[in-house]
Amino acid sequence: MGVDQRTNRIKGFLFLFFTAVFCFAQESPPFLESDTTKRKQYEFQIKEVLNSEASPLEKVEQKIALASVYKEQKDVLAALQEKLILVGESAELFYLIAGTNGIIALQTNPLFSIPNVKAMLKNFDQSIKTDPSYLPSYEAYIEALSMVPSLLGGGIDKAKELAFKLEQLSPVQGYFAQGYIAKTLADDIKAMTYYTKGFDLLIEKNFCGIDLPEFFASKSMNFPYKIAEISAHNGIAAPIGICAIDYFIKNQTPFYNMPIEWAYFRKAQLHVMQAEDAEAQKWISKALEINPNFEQAKFFKQTHWSSL
């Protein structure tokens, strides 16, 4: 893939960090953005935090929480950097700083997003150096290296190296990461081979019957969504995809940056794969209730109108 092609896909990657997430073309969900109508409410609550008698660390934690809920990403980043000064380096903090830079880059004019892209890559790298076993950073960094132009620090060779290391740490994630790299290189056959290997491992684990909170504890918060999305995109193991998206929906919080209607959309797709039309209709309707202008969901419903 040439530099121009990777440049054209950079915005595609920047979504993928929290959705960190295997999305392509027209089916990439956007990040939630701040609601300007709630800006005064947010500023009032921040002022209350600053004027409180909480400790400096408690104030920073509260600022991170509020800015995350209100999707004020630049404030999230500033507070994370404050926390880094207060508590010192950690793989998780570098990961969060990297991801927030990625979101800011996506929401910024591409001409001005380069500093955030570079900061994203730098912090993913630092996260892994700080803790070589921290799985979420592998997921995100591999995707970044695959999608970002080499002129800005991307690199397929390094992505492949990290994917191999991730496979040793977490085989399912490693196979999915290698599938992602293959997909990026337009090698659909190899991608399907790796994705199938990953789902085969989940089937062997009896995925829907295991302790899912324990399984997902060390992984990125959007990994359940990734499983469901790969399942829906590739027509693999729909029951596992449904278990994963159900877990994602159940554990959704205001801190997530993905519109929940996208999870409902994926769930509807998976139920169609299972010929469960009533369930599919229920969840696509819920997606459109939240966002009547959700083009992918509208197209999906029209396409399956005879069965839904």
Side-chain angles (χ1 to χ4, degrees):
M1 180 180 291
V3 169
D4 289 342
Q5 288 172 291
R6 290 195 193 166
T7 302
N8 289 337
R9 298 186 70 181
I10 187 171
K11 290 184 75 175
F13 160 71
L14 292 172
F15 156 71
L16 291 174
F17 166 69
F18 272 127
T19 346
V21 183
F22 300 64
C23 299
F24 291 90
Q26 75 276 14
E27 287 202 355
S28 295
F31 279 117
L32 290 169
E33 297 190 19
S34 60
D35 184 343
T36 55
T37 64
K38 296 181 179 178
R39 180 70 192 185
K40 287 185 178 179
Q41 182 180 350
Y42 167 69
E43 290 175 346
F44 175 79
Q45 290 181 307
I46 285 290
K47 193 172 294 184
E48 284 190 323
V49 169
L50 295 175
N51 292 332
S52 72
E53 295 182 0
S55 70
L57 180 57
E58 288 172 334
K59 288 183 179 181
V60 167
E61 295 282 15
Q62 290 173 37
K63 285 194 288 184
I64 292 170
L66 280 171
S68 297
V69 168
Y70 284 93
K71 314 306 173 191
E72 298 288 345
Q73 301 300 339
K74 291 183 179 179
D75 290 354
V76 173
L77 180 59
L80 287 169
Q81 290 169 334
E82 282 185 67
K83 184 174 179 179
L84 186 64
I85 294 170
L86 287 173
V87 304
E89 298 181 353
S90 73
E92 182 182 21
L93 267 177
F94 284 127
Y95 165 76
L96 292 172
I97 289 169
T100 306
N101 270 292
I103 296 172
I104 293 170
L106 178 63
Q107 296 175 346
T108 302
N109 185 310
L111 294 175
F112 303 106
S113 67
I114 291 175
N116 293 108
V117 173
K118 290 185 174 181
M120 173 183 63
L121 294 171
K122 176 183 175 182
N123 281 280
F124 282 144
D125 189 64
Q126 190 60 45
S127 176
I128 291 174
K129 287 177 178 176
T130 302
D131 181 357
S133 66
Y134 190 71
L135 299 179
S137 289
Y138 281 90
E139 289 181 55
Y141 198 21
I142 288 165
E143 291 169 1
L145 292 166
S146 299
M147 299 296 284
V148 171
S150 58
L151 291 174
L152 297 182
I156 289 293
D157 289 342
K158 187 167 184 179
K160 289 179 178 179
E161 177 186 333
L162 288 171
F164 177 77
K165 291 181 179 178
L166 179 57
E167 185 184 331
Q168 311 309 305
L169 295 168
S170 176
V172 172
Q173 289 171 281
Y175 286 139
F176 284 175
Q178 291 181 70
Y180 180 85
I181 294 169
K183 193 80 171 176
T184 302
L185 296 173
D187 191 339
D188 291 346
I189 294 174
K190 184 178 284 188
M192 179 65 82
T193 298
Y194 281 123
Y195 290 152
T196 300
K197 285 183 177 181
F199 278 101
D200 284 346
L201 288 180
L202 293 175
I203 291 169
E204 287 176 19
K205 288 176 179 287
N206 185 27
F207 177 77
C208 293
I210 63 174
D211 185 338
L212 292 182
E214 181 179 345
F215 176 81
F216 287 118
S218 62
K219 299 169 179 64
S220 68
M221 62 185 183
N222 281 312
F223 191 61
Y225 182 90
K226 286 186 179 183
I227 293 173
E229 183 163 71
I230 296 169
S231 175
H233 275 177
N234 296 281
I236 308 173
I240 287 177
I242 291 169
C243 290
I245 204 65
D246 285 347
Y247 179 88
F248 179 84
I249 291 169
K250 181 179 178 181
N251 290 278
Q252 184 87 355
T253 77
F255 296 102
Y256 280 44
N257 286 287
M258 185 194 302
I260 190 62
E261 60 266 28
W262 274 87
Y264 297 162
F265 171 52
R266 294 295 175 217
K267 185 166 168 61
Q269 289 179 308
L270 291 162
H271 282 297
V272 164
M273 287 170 59
Q274 289 290 92
E276 296 168 348
D277 292 346
E279 280 296 297
Q281 184 176 23
K282 170 185 171 182
W283 289 98
I284 204 67
S285 297
K286 285 172 71 73
L288 289 168
E289 282 173 14
I290 295 171
N291 181 4
N293 298 315
F294 188 173
E295 292 300 327
Q296 291 84 351
K298 289 196 293 184
F299 179 77
F300 176 83
K301 188 169 185 177
Q302 290 169 0
T303 300
H304 297 278
W305 189 260
S306 59
S307 61
L308 296 183

